[in-house]
Amino acid sequence: MRRTWQLATRNWRTSPGRALAAVISVGMGVATVVTIANFYETARRAIRYEVVNRWLGAAHLTVHPPGAHWGALDASLVDPISQLDNVRHVTSRLRRRMRVMPAEDADRVVETNRQAVDAIGIDPGTEQPFLDLPGLIGRPIASAERKVAVIAKAVAASWGVELGSRIGISGAPDRSAMVVSVVGLFDDRRVAEFQKPSVYMAIADVQELALAPNAVSVIDIMLEDSSPNSLAQTQTELEKLLAEKAGVGHCRIVSAAARQQVLDEAERISRILLSLTAFVALLTSFFIILTTMSMSLFERRRSMGVLRCVGSTRGQLAWLLSIEMIPLGLFGTVLGVLLGMAVTEFCSVCLPSGHAPIVASKWGVQLAVASGILTTLVSTAFLLFQVCRVTPLAALNPDIRAPRKAGLYLSGVFGIGFLLVHEGIVRDPDQTQWLGASFATVGVTSLYLGYILLTPALVGLLGAPVSRLVGPLLGIRPELACDQFGRAPWRCTGVCWVLMVALSLIVYLGIGSEAMLAVWDFPGRLPEAFVWSPQYVPGDAIERVRQLPGVKSVTVVTDVDCQIANPDAPEQSVTDKLMKKLVQRVTRPVFVAADPEAIFRIFKVSFIEGDSADAKAKLARGGHILIPVQTSRSKGLHAGDKVTITVRGLAAQFEIAGVVQSPALDLAVTAFQAESYMQFAAASAMLGTNADLRKRFSLDVASMFLCDLDLPDAARPDDFDFEDLPDPVDEPALARTLLRWGEHLPNERGRLEEAREHIDRWVQSETGTPVPPEVVPDLRRFGQAVRYVRWTWGRRSADENWLVLRERLTLARISQEIERPDAIAGSVRRLKQHVDRSIRRAVLVLTWLPSLLLPVAAIGIGNLMMVSVHIRARQIAVLRAVGALRSQVIRLVLAEAATLGLLGAVTGLALGLHEAFSDNRITAGLIGFYPEFIIPYGSVAIGIGLTVATCLVAGLLPARRASRDNVVAAMQVV
């Protein structure tokens, strides 16, 4: 055993550089996997933090009183709820409409000096896990602190309030105010003007102002275990607890089960994307390890032949090679983990300020260790196969015979077969199978095996023609430049493999990152804006709205008051009847009609009861409805129940096709602090179709226009500043500003061209001249838009406010077109921008990944080129002996490197595009939304350039070595 060990490790002592290269290659591959896993874990945590803490809310269960924000719960419920199993945190809030005024007016009733706000009373001691105020300046309210407030920046801008200022807050116009100190300012997100700015105070202060001691309007609950089964069990226990309390049996419990399911699904899909990327890194590492160890093997082919000739068996050679290679791989794996963590720490320091530090991924380290060991074993097994199949005479014979091309083409046929298998898997109707490990493994492996097996055929077909073009550019005869592609196509293919997988990652990340964003962008399918009118709009106005400049698409939704009766409902007790009447008084039963496709596409509904495909078919047939989970709970209705809906005296019976919840809509209402409004609106809603509205209730009207806007890029005017905004009631100032900004408003140019003459004539006329009728609509719209921008200026930058102004002009034009100037308009465009910006900032670390693989790829390419030069030492010596210059030898090797770089770039580009396209199809099947396939041509071009440059740089050292070899010594190489 001792002699075996000495013989096996002899190469470590005689060629320490080669052994070190093997260790480094394994370490670099493992370090790449570790770093990639850490980057993705960082991105996943950052995205989840943004989506959950800032948008969806951290509560798993929420208790609302009957009547939503108009109702009240007893604060004594908090303690028994906190004692339930699986409950980690509980907090309560009280929301009430209040008035804000300067502190000096606190003792006087000055109605004109008061601004309406939503005062939200919180318990600072229990609120911290739930509340994360965006853009907070100052500090939150401390535990047990009284008579302090954290106010919206819009309120601060209205009154010139700063940190430390004192303001008055009153619960009613006829009562004196409480003077509080401002300790914090935050960005208040509101979707429309009907929402008032928010002010956070201690709950005891709000209870005192509202004359409602011990009252709360919502109770939020965070669980220890939020898995579906545990969440459902805790919800059942909570329902039993509330049912035992007198007077609270009709509380509504809102569960985060649906959005938790979407979050878990997004994380599983993200894990698939991570696995794809780690697989690419693992594949690159495999080729690097294989090429490095192969080089050592090629250098010792003669000594192995001698061992075979003196009696060593194939098994003994295999054992010796295993003892030599496997320890190097294990040591390289340990080194790679340490190097990966060091790279992670370095990148964390180099990231822009404000970005979350990169975190270590435990399962990523485990994956990297397994990858290092697996690739070492596989590459060693591959080399053992090569050693064992070579005869002693072949090992001693330096002649290289050109391989048969049949093997190359057979490989290409198998490659096409694997690609067909991949396409069949990607086109499978049930894309949810990708969430399973076996299905995803087969799908990913078939794609890469397809390209790996197809590459040798492409090198055999294109290598010689491309080298004949590249060779003359470097001063090399075409016949000499293409020599290696005929003699050693498989070795040339190895270089292409390394380049292919490295470039494919660059291309995939450029395109595939959009797919990852789409996975987490829940509100991405929500319309950007809405216009709602309490007075119905005739159906013929819909087409006019669609033709307006600035309107990209329109979806019509109609909500009509109705009466709902459940003929199968059991007889209710007197208490239940009284509570039902109370709920009906504080809620508004509505029949909400839309196109079925719009319901599923825009709101991305999740089914609590029922099935998506079955519900679509039933809605298309007519006579069926969907109900929100709030309606299901408040009215005791379930899928399959029949209800009678009466609209304007006409009654029709409908069957409930499903109980649904929309995580995308949940995100929107939570982000804009409209949870109580949504609870209020959804407590008695029925979701039907426009066809049923026309057929069964004889109504062809619309009440809400959900729009996506088309706002071309336009630079804001230089004088667009808060101080220079015109007074919304100063019509001459509005007219002059509109003319001055007209060229910056692309969607308004048509109207301005028609009205410019009238505006000019009126502005230049004497003061007091009435506004021309042709100008009134435009000035009114412009004034409304300016007023809205002034109302929200403090929450946005100048560029964002300029976009808001243009958006409001378009929404106001819709209101005018439908002849409803008082319609309520709102926008979730900013929410979508915030989500997109937050997620993109979270995935910023992914831009580091391509830069990690290129140096690793350079090692593999350099090894392969060195092997090529070493094997051809005698041929190069012959060229030198017959007069070839050193510069010609260098150019010969670089011509081969450039050709391989081009072929590797072509295959890498094809693989990256194919991978991204398949990824988009998978994402579309899993989340129901096809991400936009955007090719970043600039990044792709840079990636191709870097790939070819990497190949040239990696070939430079072998080229210089070949040119400097001693001719006489090289002629004696066998």
Side-chain angles (χ1 to χ4, degrees), residues 40-41 43-52 55-56 259-260 262-271 273 513-525 663-664 667 835-836 838-840 842-843 923 927 929 931:
Y40 261 91
E41 181 66 17
R44 185 194 67 80
R45 291 191 183 186
I47 291 173
R48 187 177 180 91
Y49 175 81
E50 292 288 345
V51 172
V52 175
W55 304 111
L56 281 178
R259 67 190 187 210
Q260 190 70 30
V262 175
L263 283 172
D264 294 339
E265 180 182 280
E267 290 193 335
R268 287 197 300 270
I269 299 173
S270 298
R271 187 63 61 88
L273 303 182
S513 58
E514 296 293 330
M516 187 172 181
L517 295 174
V519 169
W520 288 94
D521 185 11
F522 304 133
R525 293 169 298 283
L667 190 153
V835 172
D836 184 72
S838 299
I839 295 177
R840 287 185 186 277
V843 301
T923 303
I927 68 174
F929 176 72

Side-chain angles (χ1 to χ4, degrees), residues 733-914:
L734 286 174
R736 287 190 293 270
T737 305
L738 181 58
L739 290 177
R740 194 168 61 252
W741 292 353
E743 63 181 18
H744 299 274
L745 299 169
N747 293 330
E748 299 296 323
R749 286 171 186 166
R751 294 280 296 186
L752 287 178
E753 288 177 1
E754 298 175 3
R756 182 175 296 275
E757 182 179 350
H758 301 285
I759 296 176
D760 283 335
R761 188 183 309 116
W762 174 65
V763 170
Q764 295 173 8
S765 64
E766 296 181 0
T767 305
T769 305
V771 181
E774 299 86 354
V775 179
V776 170
D778 297 304
L779 288 186
R780 181 176 298 167
R781 281 195 305 119
F782 191 56
Q784 291 174 346
V786 170
R787 182 181 298 108
Y788 185 84
V789 171
R790 291 175 65 92
W791 177 62
T792 63
W793 184 277
R795 292 183 282 147
R796 300 180 175 92
S797 66
D799 287 332
E800 289 177 320
N801 279 311
W802 174 245
L803 189 60
V804 169
L805 177 74
R806 299 174 58 202
E807 180 183 83
R808 302 304 296 194
L809 281 171
T810 302
L811 296 180
R813 190 163 183 179
I814 294 175
S815 300
Q816 287 186 351
E817 191 64 37
I818 63 178
E819 299 180 355
R820 301 293 187 271
D822 296 329
I824 296 175
S827 170
V828 296
R829 184 187 185 97
R830 187 166 177 256
L831 166 64
K832 297 172 73 172
Q833 291 173 342
H834 269 280
V835 172
D836 184 72
R837 187 182 303 116
S838 299
I839 295 177
R840 287 185 186 277
R841 185 175 62 247
V843 301
L844 175 65
V845 293
L846 302 183
T847 59
W848 291 77
L849 294 181
S851 62
L852 292 175
L853 278 188
L854 286 176
V856 179
I859 296 175
I861 296 168
N863 287 335
L864 280 173
M865 297 297 292
M866 194 71 75
V867 169
S868 177
V869 170
H870 184 76
I871 290 177
R872 289 186 295 153
R874 174 179 286 186
Q875 298 175 13
I876 294 173
V878 170
L879 290 176
R880 292 285 310 282
V882 298
L885 301 175
R886 289 183 175 181
S887 62
Q888 290 176 316
V889 174
I890 293 176
R891 282 184 274 125
L892 172 62
V893 178
L894 291 181
E896 295 172 2
T899 302
L900 293 175
L902 292 174
L903 294 177
V906 170
T907 53
L909 178 62
L911 175 58
L913 292 173
H914 195 164

Side-chain angles (χ1 to χ4, degrees), residues 204-256:
D205 290 339
V206 177
Q207 290 170 341
E208 178 182 336
L209 289 170
L211 302 181
N214 299 320
V216 298
S217 55
V218 67
I219 300 175
D220 277 344
I221 305 165
M222 188 183 297
L223 306 182
E224 293 281 357
D225 180 6
S226 60
S227 62
N229 291 338
S230 296
L231 195 152
Q233 181 179 353
T234 304
Q235 182 174 351
T236 301
E237 295 175 359
L238 180 61
E239 290 171 347
K240 292 180 180 179
L241 173 64
L242 295 177
E244 294 173 358
K245 304 296 180 179
V248 297
H250 287 76
C251 294
R252 288 190 303 280
I253 303 175
V254 178
S255 170

Side-chain angles (χ1 to χ4, degrees), residues 233-522:
Q233 181 179 353
T234 304
Q235 182 174 351
T236 301
E237 295 175 359
L238 180 61
E239 290 171 347
K240 292 180 180 179
L241 173 64
L242 295 177
E244 294 173 358
K245 304 296 180 179
V248 297
H250 287 76
C251 294
R252 288 190 303 280
I253 303 175
V254 178
S255 170
R259 67 190 187 210
Q260 190 70 30
Q261 180 181 357
V262 175
L263 283 172
D264 294 339
E265 180 182 280
E267 290 193 335
R268 287 197 300 270
I269 299 173
S270 298
R271 187 63 61 88
I272 291 176
L273 303 182
L274 170 58
S275 300
L276 287 173
T277 309
F279 185 84
V280 177
L282 176 61
L283 200 59
T284 307
S285 304
F286 170 74
F287 287 126
I288 295 169
I289 297 168
L290 186 61
T291 56
T292 302
M293 294 183 174
S294 294
M295 186 172 180
S296 176
L297 183 65
F298 280 126
E299 288 182 338
R300 291 180 295 141
R301 68 191 186 283
R302 186 182 180 187
S303 61
M304 289 185 178
V306 171
L307 288 174
R308 291 294 311 280
C309 289
V310 298
S312 296
T313 64
R314 289 186 174 91
Q316 288 174 327
L317 284 182
W319 176 244
L320 290 175
L321 192 63
S322 298
I323 294 177
E324 176 188 344
M325 296 295 186
I326 292 178
L328 295 178
L330 296 177
F331 184 72
T333 299
V334 176
L335 177 65
V337 172
L338 299 176
L339 181 61
M341 300 305 294
V343 172
T344 298
E345 185 65 26
F346 174 77
C347 294
S348 180
V349 173
C350 294
L351 282 174
S353 60
H355 197 285
I358 302 177
V359 298
S361 171
K362 182 183 296 185
W363 73 269
V365 173
Q366 296 172 351
L367 174 64
V369 171
S371 300
I373 296 174
L374 179 63
T375 51
T376 300
L377 295 177
V378 172
S379 57
T380 302
F382 188 82
L383 295 175
L384 291 177
F385 174 75
Q386 286 185 326
V387 170
C388 294
R389 66 186 290 269
V390 178
T391 64
L393 182 60
L396 290 172
N397 186 6
D399 294 334
I400 301 175
R401 292 177 297 176
R404 297 177 181 178
K405 291 189 176 181
L408 300 176
Y409 300 145
L410 183 63
S411 174
V413 171
F414 278 105
I416 293 175
F418 276 109
L419 291 180
L420 292 177
V421 171
H422 173 78
E423 285 299 309
I425 293 175
V426 169
R427 297 175 186 274
D428 189 286
D430 185 13
Q431 291 293 316
T432 57
Q433 296 183 79
W434 279 91
L435 299 176
S438 58
F439 196 86
T441 301
V442 174
V444 175
T445 305
S446 60
L447 174 65
Y448 278 89
L449 281 178
Y451 275 90
I452 289 172
L453 294 176
L454 189 60
T455 301
L458 293 176
V459 171
L461 288 173
L462 302 177
V466 174
S467 63
R468 287 177 178 273
L469 297 175
V470 175
L473 296 177
L474 295 176
I476 302 298
R477 292 179 61 84
E479 295 79 4
L480 194 58
C482 68
D483 177 70
Q484 283 302 296
F485 294 95
R487 288 181 175 272
W490 287 99
R491 191 166 61 247
C492 296
T493 300
V495 176
C496 291
W497 281 336
V498 176
L499 292 173
M500 178 182 71
V501 292
L503 179 60
S504 69
L505 180 61
I506 297 175
V507 176
Y508 169 71
L509 285 177
I511 303 172
S513 58
E514 296 293 330
M516 187 172 181
L517 295 174
V519 169
W520 288 94
D521 185 11
F522 304 133

Side-chain angles (χ1 to χ4, degrees), residues 60-124:
H60 298 116
L61 293 170
T62 302
V63 182
H64 292 273
H69 56 288
W70 300 110
L73 295 167
D74 193 331
S76 62
L77 288 172
V78 173
D79 287 337
I81 291 176
S82 64
Q83 301 302 316
L84 292 175
D85 293 337
N86 196 34
V87 171
R88 178 189 299 177
H89 300 292
V90 180
T91 192
S92 59
R93 301 188 200 95
L94 177 63
R95 178 192 292 263
R96 288 293 182 263
R97 183 63 49 83
M98 299 283 179
R99 303 275 176 166
V100 173
M101 68 204 69
E104 56 268 20
D105 294 335
D107 296 329
R108 295 179 293 164
V109 179
V110 186
E111 182 64 25
T112 57
N113 263 357
R114 301 188 176 202
Q115 178 180 356
V117 297
D118 278 343
I120 304 174
I122 61 173
D123 180 357

